[in-house]
Amino acid sequence: MTDIIQLSPTELKQWQDEGRAFHLLDVRTDEERAICPLPAAIHIPMNLIPLRQNELPDDDLPIVVYCHHGIRSQYCALYLADAGFEQTANLKGGIDAWAREIDPAIPRY
């Protein structure tokens, strides 16, 4: 089984602050994303990942996957790793943890 990097919101914020290159992948539903999207995130709902994984960049940059609490995104990161995306990471705690720890202006649901 593939080990997926578990990034805390603080670690992801550090990546951003350092200017590290990576892609964000939001796997929440359209309705969830409408509540609180993160800028520059690619949006492909979890149930469409197998059909739309070809839309993901294949530039060897890490793909950080997130959802509401980090469970669906973990499954998606595992799927993508098995599909050949070598650098996948999961945002531990999802957008909810991001809102609590990094950006309290983001609506929580």
Side-chain angles (χ1 to χ4, degrees), residues 28-95:
R28 298 175 297 154
T29 65
D30 292 338
E31 294 79 15
E32 288 176 293
R33 185 171 187 273
I35 296 169
C36 53
L38 287 179
I42 300 163
H43 178 238
I44 303 175
M46 178 183 188
N47 64 322
L48 297 178
I49 291 290
L51 299 173
R52 294 179 51 196
Q53 72 186 32
N54 62 324
E55 295 175 26
L56 295 171
D58 59 356
D59 54 12
D60 294 328
L61 292 178
I63 298 175
V64 180
V65 188
Y66 75 95
C67 63
H68 188 197
H69 287 114
I71 297 165
R72 287 175 287 172
S73 53
Q74 172 68 16
Y75 287 116
C76 290
L78 284 165
Y79 176 86
L80 291 172
D82 286 344
F85 291 88
E86 295 178 7
Q87 295 189 67
T88 58
N90 182 45
L91 177 58
K92 188 169 35 174
I95 189 110

